[in-house]
Amino acid sequence: MAEFPRKGEYVFVTEKRIFSGMRPTGSLHIGHLSVLQNWVSLQAEYECYYGIVDWHALTTGYDDHLDMNALIQEIALDWLSVGVDPQKSAIFVQSNVLEHAELHLLLSMITPISWLERVPTYKDQIQQLGKEEGKDLSTYGFLGYPALQAADILVYKADAVPVGEDQLPHIELCREIARRFNFMYEAIFPEPQAIIGKIAMLPGVDGRKMSKSYHNAISLTADTQEIQTRVKQMITDPARVRKDDPGHPEICVVHQFQQIYNPREVAQIETDCRAGKVGCVACKAHLAATLEELLAPFRERRVYWQEPGRVERILREGRERAHTKAAETMREVRQAMGL
Ligand code: TRP
Ligand code: SF4
């Protein structure tokens, strides 16, 4: 069980640094676990900074009147409950460390607009969110999203960034901005490497992409009941009416989950399914039990961190540690730029 770090106890284990962040846009689901598990295991080897990037949430949600405090609490609890450890990592809120904004501004001086416009998600998102939600994303802030992300990473001089595959273009842009800065002024910034999670994409229970907005996700906080319900909703092979009908695991959502969560047994499950030797009810029960085992420890840790004041304290202490490093970088940056 995690405990509070005592003052003076934060000894980072190496010189190598990690930054990563997530937008506080609602509770996380098991589709986020692959990235989060990387965050957790990297703590053993790196000095880790994990930021709740509330300014990034505003780039698309600027008129949503978000209850940012509640969203921040929620995502911090999610991180803590999967094992992000405040004794090892700095966990903090982006807008509490103003150096992110200063570096974003300075990097904007040297970032060509064309670099930002050619980020693949840029025009897609404008189109998509514009059409689906009537949102106007032709803003200065949204165009600058990846430059702000670069500032998040570079202000800690991070060597590596554990993210989902969808973030690769942003990390590439960050590297280009770092290179340009290093060339123009002074070689201050490492060119950060992306570290990608093992699981590319987890389907939702209905076979589409897992997403809270599709109501097809299993949340990290899921209790036994929610796990049961969601697994029951999973789409299986419609050809299997009776238990001994031969099945086609390749078109079954349950099977995709078995591949990820029961990798050692999946070959047997597949054979039995094809031979009509295992029924979908039993197959689902087995998956539900595995997910229960996976999520139960998260629920337990969450109870600890939910006590009033604990998250606030972690974020306060995380802010101090992040600020110390960010301020140090900014002194070098200002000097390099002649400020
Ligand atoms: N763009 C990232 C996402 O949507 C969030 C993010 C912001 C981030 N700044 C970052 C991720 C810096 C890694 C590093 O998931
Ligand atoms: Fe899917 Fe399992 Fe049913 Fe086969 S037995 S169709 S893998 S749920």
Side-chain angles (χ1 to χ4, degrees):
M1 177 64 53
E3 280 171 26
F4 280 118
R6 279 185 291 270
K7 276 259 180 275
E9 232 179 32
Y10 335 118
V11 205
F12 282 130
V13 261
T14 71
E15 297 284 290
K16 289 257 180 193
R17 274 176 308 277
I18 292 275
F19 178 86
S20 195
M22 288 186 191
R23 286 167 296 154
T25 54
S27 54
L28 301 178
H29 54 67
I30 60 173
H32 297 107
L33 258 186
S34 165
V35 170
L36 282 174
Q37 280 164 342
N38 271 345
W39 289 22
V40 170
S41 53
L42 289 163
Q43 297 181 120
E45 288 169 57
Y46 292 86
E47 180 181 318
C48 295
Y49 295 88
Y50 295 130
I52 299 171
V53 291
D54 52 347
W55 285 333
H56 277 103
L58 279 185
T59 61
T60 54
Y62 59 87
D63 62 350
D64 292 348
H65 307 287
L66 303 169
D67 182 352
M68 204 59 98
N69 264 328
L71 291 166
I72 287 169
Q73 280 276 328
E74 193 58 31
I75 198 166
L77 274 176
D78 279 340
W79 291 359
L80 290 162
S81 57
V82 300
V84 179
D85 179 353
Q87 293 208 48
K88 297 180 184 150
S89 303
I91 303 171
F92 64 98
V93 178
Q94 181 188 40
S95 68
N96 288 345
V97 183
L98 296 179
E99 283 77 4
H100 290 237
E102 185 184 358
L103 185 57
H104 173 228
L105 177 80
L106 294 178
L107 295 178
S108 78
M109 308 298 172
I110 63 162
T111 305
I113 292 177
S114 60
W115 289 11
L116 297 169
E117 283 174 338
R118 76 164 194 242
V119 172
T121 46
Y122 176 63
K123 292 210 166 83
D124 291 356
Q125 287 252 45
I126 288 186
Q127 276 278 322
Q128 228 176 33
L129 289 181
K131 238 188 266 155
E132 282 169 23
E133 294 173 33
K135 191 154 270 175
D136 181 8
L137 288 187
S138 55
T139 58
Y140 178 50
F142 185 66
L143 177 66
Y145 184 113
L148 178 58
Q149 181 162 349
D152 295 339
I153 298 166
L154 297 177
V155 86
Y156 301 101
K157 296 194 186 177
D159 301 282
V161 190
V163 282
E165 215 168 8
D166 61 313
Q167 293 298 309
L168 283 177
H170 291 162
I171 308 302
E172 190 48 44
L173 184 72
C174 172
R175 292 164 60 87
E176 282 173 61
I177 294 174
R179 223 174 289 144
R180 189 165 166 101
F181 183 100
N182 290 345
F183 173 77
M184 274 190 177
Y185 303 109
E186 207 181 301
I188 290 182
F189 297 121
E191 284 179 35
Q193 300 283 335
I195 298 175
I196 301 296
K198 268 180 265 158
I199 304 168
M201 203 176 65
L202 200 65
V205 295
D206 56 0
R208 293 190 290 171
K209 179 181 172 225
M210 186 178 283
S211 157
K212 220 178 70 155
S213 50
Y214 293 158
H215 304 290
N216 63 0
I218 299 172
S219 64
L220 285 181
T221 51
D223 57 15
T224 313
Q225 189 54 50
E226 184 186 336
I227 295 173
Q228 299 281 350
T229 311
R230 289 301 192 206
V231 172
K232 277 197 189 120
Q233 288 168 339
M234 285 182 185
I235 312 271
T236 60
D237 177 359
R240 302 205 68 198
V241 183
R242 286 182 327 185
K243 197 171 126 212
D244 46 7
D245 290 332
H248 305 84
E250 63 279 3
I251 59 167
C252 173
V253 171
V254 181
H255 179 250
Q256 289 192 56
F257 275 78
Q258 300 283 27
Q259 282 179 315
I260 295 165
Y261 295 107
N262 285 317
R264 264 171 293 164
E265 294 150 62
V266 73
Q268 189 60 47
I269 293 170
E270 218 177 299
T271 315
D272 290 350
C273 172
R274 282 188 206 289
K277 276 206 229 142
V278 59
C280 293
V281 174
C283 186
K284 284 183 165 183
H286 181 47
L287 176 64
T290 307
L291 291 177
E292 174 65 25
E293 218 172 288
L294 176 74
L295 298 186
F298 301 168
R299 294 198 292 260
E300 219 169 282
R301 265 197 225 107
R302 196 178 191 91
V303 170
Y304 175 85
W305 289 113
Q306 254 168 346
E307 288 293 310
R310 288 191 172 157
V311 167
E312 287 83 350
R313 179 170 165 193
I314 293 309
L315 295 178
R316 236 181 1 256
E317 293 179 356
R319 181 225 163 248
E320 264 179 57
R321 292 157 74 186
H323 176 255
T324 302
K325 182 66 196 170
E328 185 188 305
T329 306
M330 287 316 295
R331 279 192 290 275
E332 288 179 64
V333 169
R334 287 184 213 115
Q335 198 179 28
M337 295 180 82
L339 293 165

